[in-house]
Amino acid sequence: MAKLSVDKASINKVVVAYSGGLDTSVIIPWLKENYDCEVVAFVADVGQGEEELVGIEEKAIASGASECYIADLKEEMVADYIYPTLKTGALYEGKYLLGTSMARPIIAKAQVEVARKVGADALCHGCTGKGNDQVRFEGAFAALAPDLHVIAPWREWDLVSREECLDYLAERNIPCTASLTKIYSRDANAWHISTEGGVLEDTWNAPNDDCWAWTVDPEQAPNEAEYVSVKVEKGAVVAVDGNELSPYQSLVYLNEKGIKHGVGRIDIVENRLVGMKSRGCYETPGGTIMMEALRAVEQLVLDKASFEFREELGVKASHLVYDGRWFTPLCKSLLAATEELAQDVNGEVVIKLYKGQATVTQKRSDNSLYSEEFATFGDDTVYDQSHAGGFIRLYSLASRIRALNEAKKSK
Amino acid sequence: MAKLSVDKASINKVVVAYSGGLDTSVIIPWLKENYDCEVVAFVADVGQGEEELVGIEEKAIASGASECYIADLKEEMVADYIYPTLKTGALYEGKYLLGTSMARPIIAKAQVEVARKVGADALCHGCTGKGNDQVRFEGAFAALAPDLHVIAPWREWDLVSREECLDYLAERNIPCTASLTKIYSRDANAWHISTEGGVLEDTWNAPNDDCWAWTVDPEQAPNEAEYVSVKVEKGAVVAVDGNELSPYQSLVYLNEKGIKHGVGRIDIVENRLVGMKSRGCYETPGGTIMMEALRAVEQLVLDKASFEFREELGVKASHLVYDGRWFTPLCKSLLAATEELAQDVNGEVVIKLYKGQATVTQKRSDNSLYSEEFATFGDDTVYDQSHAGGFIRLYSLASRIRALNEAKKSK
Amino acid sequence: MAKLSVDKASINKVVVAYSGGLDTSVIIPWLKENYDCEVVAFVADVGQGEEELVGIEEKAIASGASECYIADLKEEMVADYIYPTLKTGALYEGKYLLGTSMARPIIAKAQVEVARKVGADALCHGCTGKGNDQVRFEGAFAALAPDLHVIAPWREWDLVSREECLDYLAERNIPCTASLTKIYSRDANAWHISTEGGVLEDTWNAPNDDCWAWTVDPEQAPNEAEYVSVKVEKGAVVAVDGNELSPYQSLVYLNEKGIKHGVGRIDIVENRLVGMKSRGCYETPGGTIMMEALRAVEQLVLDKASFEFREELGVKASHLVYDGRWFTPLCKSLLAATEELAQDVNGEVVIKLYKGQATVTQKRSDNSLYSEEFATFGDDTVYDQSHAGGFIRLYSLASRIRALNEAKKSK
Amino acid sequence: MAKLSVDKASINKVVVAYSGGLDTSVIIPWLKENYDCEVVAFVADVGQGEEELVGIEEKAIASGASECYIADLKEEMVADYIYPTLKTGALYEGKYLLGTSMARPIIAKAQVEVARKVGADALCHGCTGKGNDQVRFEGAFAALAPDLHVIAPWREWDLVSREECLDYLAERNIPCTASLTKIYSRDANAWHISTEGGVLEDTWNAPNDDCWAWTVDPEQAPNEAEYVSVKVEKGAVVAVDGNELSPYQSLVYLNEKGIKHGVGRIDIVENRLVGMKSRGCYETPGGTIMMEALRAVEQLVLDKASFEFREELGVKASHLVYDGRWFTPLCKSLLAATEELAQDVNGEVVIKLYKGQATVTQKRSDNSLYSEEFATFGDDTVYDQSHAGGFIRLYSLASRIRALNEAKKSK
């Protein structure tokens, strides 16, 4: 039976998602040798940090890339991928703020754009064959560039250790500063950093200090609480501490605050899409503050039925985004539903940061359905306590009829 | 049009849910005067605290009750109402651990049992006409005793202030130690204490120290973290710190720990079932620790699709329980589904308590689907990275076909 | 305790939803006598039929109305209320095409507009106190005109029979052609006609011929099948049998076909929102054909996950629309989700009409994800059978790990 | 990278799901040649018809099997797989009664039992690599026998046509009566028969007479309607036309009636689990009647909220069963929920069969929540129309508050 395997001879130019790390540094020469093709490096700046970007173009060229494109996706990522997801309230398996998941579709989309520009006939990523990211990249590629071939070296080559990768580069005289051992596997962008591996591989081990890359240990955080105010419009953060900031700038500002106070750490065992479980420590300092802010404004604005639907949408969205289904009609539909619910989610909150916690202490909204007047005792103009009798009677009518039936039958 | 109003003359004996507080102390004489009936007091011990129960029988008799029944419901409440709800993961509107909601059905059920025993023809509660509890009580009554009349004095009488209530008692020489002013409205049981009113009525006010009744302020909590271990079987806590304890005993133990470390505070604006919003500060110290423990074991045990279903069940259960639908076929169905999912939820966790936070640091389970071997790199016996290529291809096939169609059309 | 009851003296002008039937003919004089106010009649033409509209203005004036406004809502109802609902696939309790439910919000909205125009201070409807329509009307009023009073005479007056209503009119010399007895209660609009009461009140009685008002008995329908073609764009019917028609015109055309072939009858016991069950025979001839057409195009276009979400949205929408929640953020959110899913739902179907059945026999779509090439045997360019092995392996990986665990434990 | 491919030398004995058709007749010698192993044939009698079972043991032996086990699974399939699924109301993508899907898990389970009995080390099925059945079989194998190897010849061998298969047998002198051409692909069991291929491959073709294998064309069905009565207990059919029958016997009885009247035909384009769409004509005569019967009793018994949950469970179950997830915790959980809801689903219905339609005309239940007394006009003991005013007020309170807010803001 014929395989859909790539005819290697047909591949002339490949765009590879290049990080400057060991894996993707190996991928460039490997592609050239194995596919006899030109390799274009594509670097997505999603806020992973300056140190990873310094000199990256030179590094790519030194590894054998013919060109290197760098795209600054930071604002777009926060505005068009993170904010819409935040509105849904998505927390994967109740905890994970989807930091890695949300970055993948925008990187894939920008990579496809470079491929179109340079006339490439294949796309390549450096994700392993056991993880979610391969699905997220290739799911995006299938939706955006079904005509381009996809090369996933980790599912193809025989290299299985850092040592082999380093040897591979050394044999080819490609300079590489990567260390022989690397205990933890990390992924960072403006929103979060994840840490896997090492001591975390045994779930009975508590994370140690090395498992946390950004945030201060809550026990070492300031003994004084600090307060930040966040302004929300249509479900999006538009100002922080009185300053109107862009989505990315808001995130940077809140990251700084969160990091200082040890906010946004989680330690989770999660179900990967590919059927196995993994354990990771994730830090999302600013994102955790944003999430608290949005949910607090929602408390004021959404009615009961809308709130329940938003919760359901959040559960669904968490799986969709985690599973790499961003560029699907289902995801668009779900985001349209959430966007509609967010129309009235305007307001302002004050959040207390203290020893690892972000707690909303004050909140208000022009669209608040909370009314001091309605909720408290005494007469008012919209609620008459006598109404409750009728409400309850009808609300429980089916129970009553059922119980009366039972009583009649047991006679 | 005829009303379903009670024919007062037909009421001979009423069982009233009696708390010993001002309201229910007024209700006893009021019932006797307005319904010309015998009044039996029923006191549910759901762990609201010894001080509320001391001398309560005498107090009830002094207020005019012919008898006073006290039922110790603490173990049953935790085992049969709280534990099943916990398995669902229910958090009303994402935050509230349903402390008041879960106590109502068991109190109502026990009250009906007393009514049957003494041959009463009516049930009475002291809930206000603006709250959820009236619906929870009367929903339970409709299901369990559709033949008994229900009297809700707060929806019927003209008393609107504490002063009027105190005057009412004074005029009748009924002793009462209640104070003239009471800033906050509180409800307590073994699981939680809620605080409403006062400064909280303006959502732009932060809670002050008086808004918290049980827990130590996280800022005043010990500077040293403390660790507790929790053992879970079939989704239920069965041992704490190595001691096999009953559900109620486990809760008492964990409450003590949680209170000391300021764990389990929430400040929420929520949608009441009766259509308005209210704001409250809730403390659930032990419950918060239990919730963390259960969810952590679930992380090890539930597969992805099961986890998502559990999340959906949790959202549904939170509304069902909050809305007082405990004694309905829907609630039974939902709990049956959750019970089934909990069959494998066995394990052990260690939880760190520190300055208001309960964080699981270690977890393990004999039923864990996490496998160090499977999740990490290298060869293994259940997962072949090459499988992923086929998986992704089929997983994204619809996206690919759609995109190919689009490309064809745009030509 | 103060009631929210209307201060009758404050009511100067009422707009009543007037049908020309016995009830609303009584309501006009009753309002004038009981509220000492001017009464304006509002007639909504939702396609209930010419015979109900002939001379209705004169009738309203003769009953005592100061003015009578007639609004033609037919096109708007089909385009803006029915079509969006159809896209969701909503079938209340699996069967009911929501004919009465969908008409209520648009009538209420148009009634409010008249009230604003004439400067009325109250709105009145003729719905009974046991049905859903009172909730639908008043739910819409609450959202659109919370400042206007609502008068629901059937919950207020003492009239309980047709005879009393007729006497009421006779005493006031108001002409009325209504008959003394009326076996069935009916509601009609362009979309459907419902029949309740009479023989249907016993669910063990089969409906008799009188229970069906529009459609030919399938047993009397033509022995020859007839075919209609329907063209769908973005989830909406845009042409029928090759003719581009407006939504209402399409419905009229398909109604005629459906009626002739006995299509669209259902006999259902349903849960009313107010807690009791009722039984009705509903006829939706053209609507049933439209529903079949849309669902068939969806089969071609929606991927698996989108289809499942559409099914879930349909269940939710059926309850929302039935429950009169049209003018709520939740309903808007849900319709936004559906609209997004419908973007690709373009295509054409042929439907066979025969003896009560509407069956799609042919269907096609430019956006079809069905591909003869992909689905059948042999090689193709998008699907490699060997991929399936990897897919299955990962798809069932959690089952495998769980089973291996179990096997290990039982050793 | 090491593959998880089977080490062929390690396979000594394989149990193959044998149907007697062309494919599985080829599989037996192919396994022996390619795996050098003993092959045991396993035949599941799921009601596919006597003609397929006659002489099947001899045929298997003639093809090279060392043994042939035949298991009569008919009663178990209907009782333990079909009835539980029916209670959920599952209709895949709104239409499909899951005939093929429900048979797969029981066949796989019985096949595993044979494998254990004979000490086999591998399981083999004859499903193609493009369909759902491979996933259903292998999903069951993963859960029940993760230690056994799975061989799927259609994903492995090079045979791509019937001609090649026939040649393969002829070369080995294995007798086979299969014809060279076979237009349609069919699958049958007691519950249904499916037809795919041929003219159906173009969705713009209407099915022709050959596409229907069991049922009479509705146009050729009797001109006289026929009535059957069905008795339901706990959501299961327990008697038909007054005769207490086992599940399988009930099905056989109703199949006969349905076939005669052309009941149970559907023509659907569906989403396969493996990402593509397929089109099929399915006939489920008795099943369609059963489904109608159950849903009608539910109308009487389930309250509104329970009904909605049952609808949601039905959507979920349809996907779970279709996707071959029978032996998973999620499926167990979902069935437990449904079983609980079915506890009161007792009653009796009369169903009219006429020209392709099965229509419930009469229904009753001791647990009916429908009450003639409650639903109609006039006074009653459980419902007071004045209650509706209070109900509506609270039910629409959030809308009112929101609208009042808006009005205030726009001033």
Side-chain angles (χ1 to χ4, degrees), chain A residues 19 43-53 74 188-190 214:
Chain A
S19 70
V43 178
D45 177 2
V46 289
Q48 63 269 52
E50 275 309 305
E51 66 283 9
E52 294 202 21
L53 295 173
K74 298 193 292 291
N189 57 48
W214 283 359

mmCIF file of all heavy atoms in Angstrom, chain A residues 19 43-53 74 188-190 214:
data_model
loop_
_atom_site.group_PDB
_atom_site.id
_atom_site.type_symbol
_atom_site.label_atom_id
_atom_site.label_comp_id
_atom_site.label_asym_id
_atom_site.label_seq_id
_atom_site.Cartn_x
_atom_site.Cartn_y
_atom_site.Cartn_z
ATOM 1 N N SER A 19 14.774 27.979 16.697
ATOM 2 C CA SER A 19 14.809 28.621 18.013
ATOM 3 C C SER A 19 16.216 29.023 18.434
ATOM 4 O O SER A 19 16.394 29.725 19.416
ATOM 5 C CB SER A 19 14.267 27.655 19.061
ATOM 6 O OG SER A 19 15.198 26.586 19.248
ATOM 7 N N VAL A 43 12.395 32.597 12.726
ATOM 8 C CA VAL A 43 12.407 32.794 14.173
ATOM 9 C C VAL A 43 11.202 33.630 14.575
ATOM 10 O O VAL A 43 10.985 34.721 14.035
ATOM 11 C CB VAL A 43 13.693 33.534 14.606
ATOM 12 C CG1 VAL A 43 13.662 33.775 16.119
ATOM 13 C CG2 VAL A 43 14.921 32.737 14.203
ATOM 14 N N ALA A 44 10.399 33.092 15.477
ATOM 15 C CA ALA A 44 9.242 33.839 15.979
ATOM 16 C C ALA A 44 9.612 34.476 17.307
ATOM 17 O O ALA A 44 10.016 33.786 18.242
ATOM 18 C CB ALA A 44 8.062 32.891 16.175
ATOM 19 N N ASP A 45 9.487 35.797 17.367
ATOM 20 C CA ASP A 45 9.700 36.468 18.644
ATOM 21 C C ASP A 45 8.346 36.574 19.345
ATOM 22 O O ASP A 45 7.515 37.407 19.005
ATOM 23 C CB ASP A 45 10.298 37.855 18.424
ATOM 24 C CG ASP A 45 10.473 38.603 19.752
ATOM 25 O OD1 ASP A 45 10.167 38.019 20.824
ATOM 26 O OD2 ASP A 45 10.896 39.770 19.711
ATOM 27 N N VAL A 46 8.114 35.638 20.272
ATOM 28 C CA VAL A 46 6.864 35.646 21.028
ATOM 29 C C VAL A 46 7.146 36.035 22.475
ATOM 30 O O VAL A 46 6.379 35.714 23.376
ATOM 31 C CB VAL A 46 6.163 34.260 20.959
ATOM 32 C CG1 VAL A 46 5.601 34.005 19.564
ATOM 33 C CG2 VAL A 46 7.138 33.147 21.362
ATOM 34 N N GLY A 47 8.276 36.712 22.650
ATOM 35 C CA GLY A 47 8.585 37.185 23.996
ATOM 36 C C GLY A 47 9.359 36.180 24.824
ATOM 37 O O GLY A 47 9.367 36.254 26.047
ATOM 38 N N GLN A 48 10.013 35.246 24.143
ATOM 39 C CA GLN A 48 10.759 34.216 24.882
ATOM 40 C C GLN A 48 11.973 34.782 25.601
ATOM 41 O O GLN A 48 12.561 34.105 26.442
ATOM 42 C CB GLN A 48 11.151 33.054 23.963
ATOM 43 C CG GLN A 48 12.086 33.383 22.830
ATOM 44 C CD GLN A 48 11.341 33.772 21.565
ATOM 45 O OE1 GLN A 48 10.480 34.642 21.580
ATOM 46 N NE2 GLN A 48 11.682 33.134 20.464
ATOM 47 N N GLY A 49 12.354 36.027 25.241
ATOM 48 C CA GLY A 49 13.476 36.643 25.961
ATOM 49 C C GLY A 49 14.574 37.066 25.010
ATOM 50 O O GLY A 49 14.891 36.361 24.043
ATOM 51 N N GLU A 50 15.161 38.221 25.314
ATOM 52 C CA GLU A 50 16.207 38.781 24.475
ATOM 53 C C GLU A 50 17.382 37.828 24.312
ATOM 54 O O GLU A 50 17.932 37.670 23.227
ATOM 55 C CB GLU A 50 16.712 40.101 25.097
ATOM 56 C CG GLU A 50 15.879 41.300 24.717
ATOM 57 C CD GLU A 50 15.678 41.400 23.206
ATOM 58 O OE1 GLU A 50 16.682 41.413 22.467
ATOM 59 O OE2 GLU A 50 14.505 41.449 22.769
ATOM 60 N N GLU A 51 17.761 37.181 25.421
ATOM 61 C CA GLU A 51 18.967 36.356 25.372
ATOM 62 C C GLU A 51 18.856 35.232 24.327
ATOM 63 O O GLU A 51 19.857 34.803 23.758
ATOM 64 C CB GLU A 51 19.294 35.786 26.761
ATOM 65 C CG GLU A 51 18.303 34.794 27.327
ATOM 66 C CD GLU A 51 17.037 35.461 27.877
ATOM 67 O OE1 GLU A 51 16.832 36.688 27.676
ATOM 68 O OE2 GLU A 51 16.228 34.742 28.484
ATOM 69 N N GLU A 52 17.637 34.797 24.044
ATOM 70 C CA GLU A 52 17.502 33.743 23.038
ATOM 71 C C GLU A 52 17.558 34.294 21.619
ATOM 72 O O GLU A 52 17.684 33.536 20.664
ATOM 73 C CB GLU A 52 16.194 32.980 23.260
ATOM 74 C CG GLU A 52 16.190 32.208 24.575
ATOM 75 C CD GLU A 52 15.195 31.062 24.571
ATOM 76 O OE1 GLU A 52 14.803 30.604 23.484
ATOM 77 O OE2 GLU A 52 14.819 30.615 25.670
ATOM 78 N N LEU A 53 17.382 35.610 21.507
ATOM 79 C CA LEU A 53 17.318 36.196 20.166
ATOM 80 C C LEU A 53 18.620 36.847 19.717
ATOM 81 O O LEU A 53 18.850 37.018 18.522
ATOM 82 C CB LEU A 53 16.190 37.230 20.114
ATOM 83 C CG LEU A 53 14.780 36.644 20.305
ATOM 84 C CD1 LEU A 53 13.753 37.758 20.404
ATOM 85 C CD2 LEU A 53 14.440 35.702 19.149
ATOM 86 N N LYS A 74 4.803 39.550 19.209
ATOM 87 C CA LYS A 74 4.412 39.715 20.608
ATOM 88 C C LYS A 74 3.051 40.391 20.778
ATOM 89 O O LYS A 74 2.189 39.884 21.493
ATOM 90 C CB LYS A 74 5.506 40.481 21.365
ATOM 91 C CG LYS A 74 6.854 39.742 21.388
ATOM 92 C CD LYS A 74 7.830 40.328 22.382
ATOM 93 C CE LYS A 74 8.310 41.708 22.009
ATOM 94 N NZ LYS A 74 9.190 41.748 20.807
ATOM 95 N N ALA A 188 9.324 29.057 26.727
ATOM 96 C CA ALA A 188 8.944 30.367 27.258
ATOM 97 C C ALA A 188 8.375 31.251 26.168
ATOM 98 O O ALA A 188 8.740 31.150 24.994
ATOM 99 C CB ALA A 188 10.150 31.055 27.878
ATOM 100 N N ASN A 189 7.449 32.083 26.557
ATOM 101 C CA ASN A 189 7.039 33.216 25.727
ATOM 102 C C ASN A 189 6.566 34.314 26.673
ATOM 103 O O ASN A 189 6.701 34.170 27.897
ATOM 104 C CB ASN A 189 5.947 32.790 24.719
ATOM 105 C CG ASN A 189 4.738 32.204 25.395
ATOM 106 O OD1 ASN A 189 4.214 32.764 26.359
ATOM 107 N ND2 ASN A 189 4.272 31.061 24.900
ATOM 108 N N ALA A 190 6.058 35.387 26.119
ATOM 109 C CA ALA A 190 5.694 36.526 26.969
ATOM 110 C C ALA A 190 4.712 36.145 28.066
ATOM 111 O O ALA A 190 4.670 36.770 29.123
ATOM 112 C CB ALA A 190 5.096 37.640 26.111
ATOM 113 N N TRP A 214 11.111 31.781 36.590
ATOM 114 C CA TRP A 214 10.866 33.233 36.578
ATOM 115 C C TRP A 214 10.512 33.788 37.954
ATOM 116 O O TRP A 214 11.039 34.813 38.356
ATOM 117 C CB TRP A 214 9.684 33.550 35.654
ATOM 118 C CG TRP A 214 9.931 33.531 34.192
ATOM 119 C CD1 TRP A 214 11.109 33.286 33.550
ATOM 120 C CD2 TRP A 214 8.954 33.785 33.172
ATOM 121 N NE1 TRP A 214 10.935 33.356 32.203
ATOM 122 C CE2 TRP A 214 9.623 33.669 31.930
ATOM 123 C CE3 TRP A 214 7.591 34.086 33.164
ATOM 124 C CZ2 TRP A 214 8.955 33.865 30.711
ATOM 125 C CZ3 TRP A 214 6.932 34.276 31.964
ATOM 126 C CH2 TRP A 214 7.608 34.165 30.752
#
